[in-house]
């Protein structure tokens, strides 16, 4: 690992004053950052440890479930308010990593974890995300786990977070703070498609700290679920995942939200596809039309085409189980 300076932050103001300095990286649980430093993918000059900041609260306030950025994945998944108001978030978190990792991994760090593309993590390979303009070893190499949605000529790496898929379906917002003030980013604007600049992955500016997430808490919450399909039953990233919520009224769809993981360069949701289901009974034909629209822009190769059939089957299984 390259040498670096380690500092422990005592308060949020101290972090904001230093954020944006070249070569500075924040350390929360460290389960992503330290791995990447060991691999030589990240080589920060200074690591600022934010784990002692008081940003780990979980509460319901004014109709919103508020989750602190430094709450651990375990604490969030097991919290009674999260289980009561955002069951699919709890289920998505518990489907990821291992108990030991979830005990230290934080919510903010989970959102900013980097892709598991092996060519990104191996510095001997060409990778536009790690070294802009270097090329992409995955495109001509092995890519059965790579994305079929939101891809570009520069990069087709999958976004790996389970939590992010659930938050997208749950209409979450990301709250951030910098010396310039505070702002909230709707979850469907948080991640950025790779386009020609795959090194830019999200809408967070260099000087911004994630302080917390908020999720709307409604009186009559729709039924929801998270399904993760993967190579083995635990300790494995998603091949395809589905986070969905559904409320039927009089045999017809009154509310629906569906987000996909494992298939996109960003967690994938299409509100225009959901609109096709509104007011319809959940028939096979309606589900087919929905999946056609959801996957309409997919670009697959012989290696990863199977993900399209898996995604269709997973969506039908989850929505069918919720009606
Ligand atoms: C073996 C293994 C298996 C895994 N399996 C899964 C899985 O199946 N599903 C899944 O979803 N995830 C999985 N993960 C990823 C894991 O969930 C993430 O590594 C973890 O959530 C990151 O959180 P952290 O607090 O450790 O982040 P860190 O490593 O501390 O930070 C990650 C990044 O986020 C930045 N950051 C952290 N907090 C903030 C903040 N508040 N504001 C601004 N920037 C911040 C850091 O600067 C850094 O760039 C796995 C990880 C490992 C190592
Ligand atoms: S798919 Fe993206 S992350 Fe993977 S090697 Fe290509 S550019 Fe890098």
């Amino acid at each position: 690992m390259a040498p670096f300076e380690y500092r422990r932050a005592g308060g949020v103001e101290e972090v904001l004053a230093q954020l944006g300095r070249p070569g500075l990286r924040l350390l929360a649980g460290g389960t992503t950052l330290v791995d990447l430093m060991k691999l030589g993918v990240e080589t920060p000059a200074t690591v600022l440890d934010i784990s002692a900041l008081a940003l780990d609260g979980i509460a319901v306030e004014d109709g919103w479930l508020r989750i602190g950025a430094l709450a651990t994945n375990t604490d969030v998944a097991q919290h009674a308010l999260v289980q009561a108001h955002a069951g699919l978030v709890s289920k998505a978190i518990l489907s990821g990593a291992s108990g030991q990792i979830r005990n230290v991994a934080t919510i903010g760090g989970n959102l900013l974890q980097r892709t598991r593309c092996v060519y990104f993590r191996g510095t001997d390979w060409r990778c536009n995300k790690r070294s802009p303009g270097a090329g992409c070893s995955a495109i001509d190499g092995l890519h059965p786990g790579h994305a079929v949605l939101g891809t570009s000529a520069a990069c087709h790496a999958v976004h790996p977070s389970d939590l992010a898929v659930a938050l997208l379906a749950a209409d979450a917002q990301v709250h951030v703070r910098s010396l310039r003030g505070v702002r909230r980013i709707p979850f469907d604007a948080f991640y950025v498609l790779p386009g020609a600049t795959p090194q830019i992955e999200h809408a967070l500016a260099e000087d911004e700290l994630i302080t917390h997430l908020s999720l709307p808490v409604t009186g009559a919450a729709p039924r929801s679920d998270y399904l993760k399909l993967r190579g083995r039953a635990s300790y494995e990233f998603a091949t395809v995942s589905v986070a969905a919520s559904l409320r039927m009224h009089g045999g017809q769809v009154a509310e629906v939200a569906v987000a996909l993981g494992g298939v996109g360069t960003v967690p994938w949701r299409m509100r225009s596809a959901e609109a096709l289901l509104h007011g319809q009974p959940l028939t096979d034909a309606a589900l087919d039309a929905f999946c056609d629209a959801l996957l309409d822009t997919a670009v697959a190769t012989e290696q990863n085409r199977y993900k399209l059939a898996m995604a269709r089957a997973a969506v039908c299984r989850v929505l069918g189980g919720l009606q």
Side-chain angles (χ1 to χ4, degrees), residues 52-91:
L53 303 187
L55 291 176
D56 58 353
I58 300 170
V60 171
E61 290 168 5
D62 303 325
W64 293 87
L65 172 63
R66 179 188 166 113
I67 302 175
L70 287 172
T72 67
N73 283 213
T74 296
D75 285 347
V76 173
Q78 292 180 348
H79 201 282
L81 288 174
V82 177
Q83 289 177 350
H85 299 290
L88 85 169
V89 168
S90 175
K91 194 167 178 188

Side-chain angles (χ1 to χ4, degrees), residues 186-264:
F187 211 77
D188 51 12
F190 186 68
Y191 292 112
V192 176
L193 290 171
T197 53
Q199 72 278 14
I200 300 171
E201 297 175 350
H202 48 73
L204 201 68
E206 294 267 309
D207 62 346
E208 286 178 323
L209 174 74
I210 302 176
T211 55
H212 62 283
L213 307 175
S214 61
L215 286 76
V217 171
T218 51
R223 300 187 68 198
S224 65
D225 200 5
Y226 184 75
L227 173 68
K228 180 173 179 177
L229 305 177
R230 48 190 158 167
R232 59 184 174 197
S234 72
Y235 206 37
E236 181 70 294
F237 289 88
T239 306
V240 169
S241 70
V242 177
S245 64
L246 178 71
R247 190 167 64 80
M248 301 292 288
H249 184 70
Q252 297 178 336
V253 174
E255 266 181 72
V256 65
V258 178
L260 297 178
V263 290

Side-chain angles (χ1 to χ4, degrees), residues 72-121:
T72 67
N73 283 213
T74 296
D75 285 347
V76 173
Q78 292 180 348
H79 201 282
L81 288 174
V82 177
Q83 289 177 350
H85 299 290
L88 85 169
V89 168
S90 175
K91 194 167 178 188
I93 290 173
L94 291 175
S95 76
S98 65
Q100 291 93 333
I101 291 170
R102 294 193 299 269
N103 285 345
V104 290
T106 66
I107 292 301
N110 189 313
L111 299 188
L112 298 184
Q113 65 177 289
R114 312 289 306 275
T115 182
R116 309 305 287 196
C117 173
V118 292
Y119 304 102
F120 167 76
R121 297 170 71 87

Side-chain angles (χ1 to χ4, degrees), residues 133-305:
C136 170
S137 290
I139 283 172
D140 298 324
L142 287 171
H143 52 255
H146 279 61
V148 292
L149 288 161
T151 58
S152 72
C155 180
H156 59 145
V158 157
H159 195 279
S161 170
D162 291 294
L163 170 67
V165 181
L167 292 175
L168 182 60
D171 290 323
Q173 302 195 335
V174 183
H175 295 250
V176 305
R177 192 173 157 194
S178 69
L179 290 179
R180 295 172 289 120
V182 296
R183 67 178 178 124
R184 55 181 163 182
I185 308 170
F187 211 77
D188 51 12
F190 186 68
Y191 292 112
V192 176
L193 290 171
T197 53
Q199 72 278 14
I200 300 171
E201 297 175 350
H202 48 73
L204 201 68
E206 294 267 309
D207 62 346
E208 286 178 323
L209 174 74
I210 302 176
T211 55
H212 62 283
L213 307 175
S214 61
L215 286 76
V217 171
T218 51
R223 300 187 68 198
S224 65
D225 200 5
Y226 184 75
L227 173 68
K228 180 173 179 177
L229 305 177
R230 48 190 158 167
R232 59 184 174 197
S234 72
Y235 206 37
E236 181 70 294
F237 289 88
T239 306
V240 169
S241 70
V242 177
S245 64
L246 178 71
R247 190 167 64 80
M248 301 292 288
H249 184 70
Q252 297 178 336
V253 174
E255 266 181 72
V256 65
V258 178
L260 297 178
V263 290
T265 53
V266 297
W268 199 258
R269 181 175 173 186
M270 280 192 71
R271 289 172 197 271
S272 55
E274 291 165 12
L276 298 175
L277 288 175
H278 288 150
Q280 303 293 319
L282 214 51
T283 58
D284 289 350
L287 284 169
D288 265 352
F290 170 72
C291 290
D292 286 347
L294 184 65
L295 303 172
D296 182 45
T297 56
V299 178
T301 71
E302 285 308 313
Q303 292 184 36
N304 60 11
R305 196 178 307 283

